[in-house]
């Protein structure tokens, strides 16, 4: 309050407010308080003098604020520390980046950024913990690259999760996938499990559900069922996804209930999981619907197709989406969904006790072959059926467009995942030998790292052929990048011979020799760096 209202001198806070008001309105409209007025002096000067004095007084007399409560200490991480050389290497990988040279050329230096995922996977395989000083840089790297997050969060551990709470830019870690970054109670401690499930962060709850599921599948379902109705749709989807591991008939009742979920994505995931249980009631319903649409032809040596005439309420309840995407016919769309969800074991029964290979080679009437084969491909991927995947892939020497299942390289890559690692590598090696590298990029990406010897040799041979032919080298940059990360480091000695510039023919692309030389130098130096990284982590 002002001096005029009480007859006493105003307090510092009130005086400051009155000075501000007078300055804003102007001293003609609002003279300064009488406490600062000077006899014979002008009002603006008195205002400024008083403001200067009061500013110094306010700053000098500021009372310290009450300190905030310190955070709880970071939990202990009992995993072993990194070897010193590996510690230094991680700092280099997090800090350095291979800068492209002029003209967009990468030069011969390894791309350290691209080696970070492999380093993290190897470090996690050894069970090391992240150095505390590098946790901020590690979380920043994971924020910038979603592909790094699972491995980075597992390596960061409980201390990384603790640290992420103090920086909004790292909030992704608090909703990340389950992994080594979450400190869990003993799954036999029911009160602690219940408390974390009710109060924990999302990442902690996902990790807890996964841990309980490994020890007590029924208990995990009980946890999930207890809070299912109150969970957010995106959280229900993530929780449902944890059931993929160890999926069993015991999950069927819960998944059947999830078919009625209000979220379309949750319903679709529940239907997908149920279709992977060939003895489930859902799978049998889909098998009956699909078998009614796909039958032997009149002579028994062809396949006749009659797609559904309507998508009824029961089909929709089982996850069949009634409205097709733009450009797809309704009946073809419904047919594809039914065949995709039906157990593959139904088709030998329906189509004359034939093997999958014999079935996919049958002629399909009325132009339905592409739709039917595409649905079988999706079913083989969903059900991870190696025999059907082999049949649909066909012989690697055949041109992709002549394959029995699908000409799509993306679909072929998915089918390859169902094969054992060794067989997968041999199939892709034969494909590369027959067709070169121009169509092999997606197929190479699903092969286990490091590439098996036959596959590595096929890739190196194909690169050498392209180099000697003077081919346009930038067309192979993607494969070269994969080779840097996936070739066995033992191939470095063999590749030394290719680091020199090749003799350029008249038909060669201008400057191709120099680019090929740089690319092979980079490949060799990267392989040797990977070998050094592996040795550092193994100490």
């Amino acid at each position: 309050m002002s001096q005029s209202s009480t007859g006493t001198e105003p307090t510092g806070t009130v005086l400051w407010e009155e000075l501000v008001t007078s300055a804003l309105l102007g001293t003609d409209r609002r003279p300064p308080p009488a406490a600062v007025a000077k006899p014979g002096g002008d009002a603006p000067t008195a205002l400024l003098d008083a403001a200067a004095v009061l500013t110094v007084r306010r700053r000098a007399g500021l009372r310290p604020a009450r300190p905030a409560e310190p955070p709880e200490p970071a939990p202990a991480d009992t995993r072993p520390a990194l070897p010193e050389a590996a510690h230094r290497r991680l700092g280099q990988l997090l800090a350095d980046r291979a800068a492209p040279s002029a003209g967009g050329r990468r030069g011969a230096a390894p791309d350290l950024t691209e080696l970070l995922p492999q380093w993290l996977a190897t470090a996690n395989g050894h069970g090391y913990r992240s150095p505390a000083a590098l946790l901020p840089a590690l979380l920043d790297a994971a924020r910038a690259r979603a592909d790094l997050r699972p491995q980075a969060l597992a390596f960061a551990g409980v201390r990384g999760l603790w640290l992420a709470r103090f920086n909004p830019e790292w909030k992704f870690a608090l909703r990340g996938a389950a992994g080594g970054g979450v400190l869990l109670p003993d799954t036999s401690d029911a009160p602690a499990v219940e408390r974390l499930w009710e109060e924990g962060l999302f990442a902690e709850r996902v990790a807890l559900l996964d841990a309980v599921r490994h020890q007590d599948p029924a208990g995990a379902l009980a946890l999930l069922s207890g809070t299912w109705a109150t969970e957010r749709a995106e959280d229900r989807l993530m929780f449902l996804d944890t059931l993929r591991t160890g999926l069993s008939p015991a999950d069927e009742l819960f998944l059947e209930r999830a078919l009625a979920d209000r979220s379309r994505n949750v319903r679709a995931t529940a239907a997908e999981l149920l279709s992977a249980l060939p003895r489930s009631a859902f799978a049998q319903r889909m098998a009956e619907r699909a078998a009614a649409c796909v039958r032997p032809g009149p002579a028994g040596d062809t396949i006749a197709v009659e797609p559904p005439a309507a998508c009824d309420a029961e089909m929709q309840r089982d996850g069949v989406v009634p409205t097709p995407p733009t450009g797809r016919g309704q009946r073809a769309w419904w047919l594809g969904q039914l065949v995709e969800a039906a157990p593959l074991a139904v088709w030998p029964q329906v189509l004359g006790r034939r093997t999958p290979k014999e079935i996919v080679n049958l002629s399909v009437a009325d132009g339905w072959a592409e739709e039917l084969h595409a649905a079988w491909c999706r079913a083989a991927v969903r059900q991870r059926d190696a025999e059907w995947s082999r049949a649909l892939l066909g012989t690697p020497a055949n041109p992709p467009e002549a394959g029995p299942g699908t000409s799509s390289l993306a679909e072929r890559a998915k089918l390859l995942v169902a094969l054992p690692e060794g067989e997968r590598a041999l199939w892709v090696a034969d494909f590369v030998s027959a067709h070169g590298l121009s169509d092999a990029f997606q197929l190479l990406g699903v092969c286990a790292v490091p590439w098996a010897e036959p596959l590595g040799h096929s890739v190196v041979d194909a690169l050498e052929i392209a180099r000697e032919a003077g081919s346009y080298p930038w067309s192979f940059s993607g494969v070269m990048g994969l080779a840097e990360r996936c070739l066995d480091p033992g191939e470095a000695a063999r590749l030394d011979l290719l680091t020199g510039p090749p003799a350029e023919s008249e038909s060669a692309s201008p400057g191709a020799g120099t680019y090929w030389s740089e690319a092979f130098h980079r490949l060799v130096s990267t392989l040797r760096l990977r070998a050094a990284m592996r040795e550092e982590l193994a100490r």
Side-chain angles (χ1 to χ4, degrees):
M1 62 184 63
S2 67
Q3 182 182 17
S4 59
S5 62
T6 64
T8 61
E9 185 175 343
T11 64
T13 301
V14 173
L15 179 59
W16 177 259
E17 292 174 352
E18 293 194 0
L19 289 175
V20 170
T21 302
S22 181
L24 290 173
L25 297 177
T27 55
D28 290 339
R29 296 178 58 192
R30 184 70 173 267
V36 303
K38 298 179 180 179
D42 63 290
T45 300
L47 174 67
L48 293 175
D49 288 346
V53 172
L54 193 55
T55 296
V56 174
R57 185 188 301 170
R58 285 164 59 87
R59 290 177 178 174
L62 183 66
R63 292 183 178 180
R66 180 182 294 276
E69 291 295 326
E72 294 183 5
D77 191 335
T78 57
R79 295 176 294 174
L82 279 174
E84 185 58 34
H87 185 156
R88 290 195 300 269
R89 181 74 67 188
L90 176 60
Q92 181 185 20
L93 294 175
L94 289 170
D96 293 353
R97 186 178 298 271
S101 56
R105 291 168 64 167
R106 289 180 55 194
D111 187 344
L112 300 185
T113 305
E114 290 305 313
L115 294 180
L116 183 56
Q118 195 168 118
W119 189 98
L120 288 169
T122 307
N124 285 331
H126 285 287
Y128 292 124
R129 71 172 183 265
S130 172
L134 293 179
L135 280 173
L138 182 64
L139 290 171
D140 279 339
R143 177 176 62 88
R145 289 181 57 180
D147 63 307
L148 280 179
R149 290 178 186 176
Q151 294 286 3
L153 293 180
F155 185 60
V158 291
R159 290 190 166 187
L161 191 65
W162 173 87
L163 186 62
R165 303 178 192 215
F166 301 103
N167 187 341
E169 293 188 345
W170 298 333
K171 63 183 179 181
F172 68 88
L174 306 181
R175 296 191 58 79
V182 176
L183 186 63
L184 299 175
D186 189 326
T187 55
S188 63
D189 185 349
V193 167
E194 186 70 26
R195 183 166 56 253
L196 183 60
W197 180 252
E198 295 289 345
E199 302 173 2
L201 299 167
F202 182 73
E204 295 171 327
R205 299 179 73 216
V206 172
L208 176 67
L209 184 65
D210 187 64
V212 174
R213 182 166 174 79
H214 277 85
Q215 299 295 323
D216 179 14
L221 282 180
L223 276 180
L224 193 53
S225 299
T227 60
W228 182 256
T230 61
E231 304 287 357
R232 302 190 312 169
E234 57 265 39
D235 293 351
R236 294 198 304 277
L237 186 62
M238 287 289 292
F239 288 139
L240 202 60
D241 211 49
T242 64
L243 302 186
R244 294 182 188 277
T245 302
L247 185 67
S248 75
D251 301 316
E252 181 180 355
L253 182 59
F254 180 82
L255 292 172
E256 278 282 349
R257 292 172 183 159
L259 286 175
D261 196 89
R262 55 188 179 274
S263 165
R264 186 177 70 178
N265 289 334
V266 172
R267 295 195 302 271
T269 301
E272 180 184 345
L273 292 172
L274 282 167
S275 69
L277 297 172
R279 297 183 182 276
S280 66
F282 170 89
Q284 295 307 309
R285 294 194 299 269
M286 286 301 194
E288 291 173 5
R289 291 167 179 146
C293 299
V294 181
R295 307 295 299 174
D301 58 353
T302 61
I303 299 176
V305 175
E306 181 62 35
C311 183
D312 58 34
E314 289 300 314
M315 287 170 60
Q316 293 182 47
R317 193 254 177 194
D318 281 343
V320 178
V321 179
T323 305
T326 303
R328 291 287 301 277
Q330 269 191 334
R331 299 182 70 193
W333 172 243
W334 300 334
L335 172 73
Q337 293 180 81
L338 296 181
V339 173
E340 177 182 354
L344 287 163
V346 73
W347 300 115
Q349 302 172 23
V350 171
L351 299 171
R353 303 292 175 182
R354 291 180 169 90
T355 66
K357 183 176 180 180
E358 292 169 336
I359 290 173
V360 299
N361 283 297
L362 288 174
S363 175
V364 182
D366 301 325
W368 286 102
E370 183 176 352
E371 190 71 48
L372 183 59
H373 286 176
W376 276 337
C377 286
R378 296 192 298 273
V381 170
R382 178 183 290 190
Q383 297 171 40
R384 296 185 177 274
D385 192 300
E387 186 178 8
W388 272 88
S389 293
R390 288 188 197 98
L392 291 160
L393 281 165
T395 304
N398 288 340
E401 62 274 9
T406 175
S407 62
S408 165
L409 291 170
E411 290 297 324
R412 286 187 162 205
K414 294 177 183 177
L415 290 169
L416 281 167
V417 175
L419 302 183
E421 288 182 0
E423 183 180 353
R424 191 187 317 165
L426 285 173
W427 196 97
V428 179
D430 290 342
F431 182 92
V432 170
S433 298
H435 308 293
L437 293 168
S438 58
D439 292 327
F441 183 80
Q442 294 183 57
L443 306 181
L444 290 168
V446 299
C447 293
V449 178
W451 288 336
E453 185 175 300
L455 177 57
H457 285 183
S458 291
V459 172
V460 171
D461 289 345
L463 288 171
E464 184 177 3
I465 290 170
R467 169 185 176 272
E468 295 301 322
S471 300
Y472 194 65
W474 305 276
S475 301
F476 299 89
S477 59
V479 173
M480 270 292 190
L482 272 180
E484 291 168 19
R485 301 188 295 275
C486 302
L487 267 177
D488 191 309
E491 294 281 349
R494 179 186 173 204
L495 289 164
D496 267 332
L497 299 174
L498 302 178
T499 55
E504 294 192 17
S505 63
E506 292 183 0
S507 60
S509 301
T514 302
Y515 273 75
W516 277 115
S517 179
E518 284 183 356
F520 276 106
H521 268 293
R522 183 172 62 250
L523 178 55
V524 170
S525 59
T526 302
L527 293 178
R528 290 192 169 132
L529 177 56
R530 284 175 51 210
M533 286 165 40
R534 187 166 58 186
E535 291 175 4
E536 292 163 358
L537 286 164
R539 291 175 186 172

